[in-house]
Amino acid sequence: MGPTRDKQVALSTFSYVFSELVQYQTTKIRSAAELETNLEKMGKDLGKRVLDALFHRDRLTKRELTEVGILKFISTTAWKALWGKEADSLERSNDREDEYMVVDSAPLVNQFVSVPANLGALDCAALMAGVVAGILDGAYFAAKCTAHPREEGGTVFLIRIGHDEAEEQKEPELVEMRPVLPLADRALA
């Protein structure tokens, strides 16, 4: 047998499946923000699976241990496997040390969705942001990724490393305190 070729999904198939996914989600939501949140959650689940598939396919035995290493992996290898091209750039924020930006001038998911009037501010790149967050989570990096449209077109994916969503949403728990029995009394109890 000859060398294996990269297997790709036809663009028309992807556009149909993605538009159906968005249409299905629109029946369950009330606002564009809620739809973006749902797309982000689905993307996060997808990202964890993509990381495993890419490591298995490329026979990678070492995982990235540095922030920059995993972000380079995401913006090149994972981006090309998922969206057919590498991201346009990976940049570090000037304002914060733990903030990075991946820039894509033409996100694939925004090309096939016509936004209805009642969801005017919808950005379907939230799915891609969720995928990035899922890959980072699967690689044991606590991070949050959000998609932000650019004025000149395209999308910036803002990644905050060390930002845990669970801490943000967690409310303080009330813990019941019980007296501890002395060691001698434990044997009798």
Side-chain angles (χ1 to χ4, degrees), residues 167-185:
E167 288 178 13
E168 184 178 293
Q169 296 175 354
K170 192 186 281 186
E171 292 183 22
E173 291 182 25
L174 295 176
V175 179
E176 182 182 333
M177 301 295 286
R178 290 185 271 158
V180 178
L181 296 174
L183 194 55
D185 292 341

Side-chain angles (χ1 to χ4, degrees), residues 114-160:
S114 55
V115 180
N118 63 335
L119 300 175
L122 176 66
D123 185 11
C124 289
L127 178 84
M128 294 171 72
V131 169
V132 171
I135 291 173
L136 288 166
D137 188 45
Y140 302 106
F141 284 92
K144 179 162 178 62
C145 181
T146 53
H148 304 277
R150 295 187 325 172
E151 289 178 10
E152 58 270 10
T155 302
V156 173
F157 298 91
L158 182 65
I159 303 163
R160 289 194 180 121

Side-chain angles (χ1 to χ4, degrees), residues 42-56 82 131 134-135 138:
M42 287 189 297
K44 193 166 185 176
D45 291 338
L46 179 64
K48 291 176 186 178
R49 295 166 197 246
V50 163
L51 180 67
D52 290 339
L54 288 175
F55 270 88
H56 178 72
L82 288 167
V131 169
I135 291 173

Side-chain angles (χ1 to χ4, degrees), residues 64 66-79 86-87 90 102 136:
E64 292 292 341
T66 63
E67 295 171 357
V68 174
I70 191 68
L71 291 172
K72 282 182 182 177
F73 172 79
I74 290 170
S75 65
T76 56
T77 306
W79 216 267
E86 293 182 1
L90 170 64
V102 175
L136 288 166

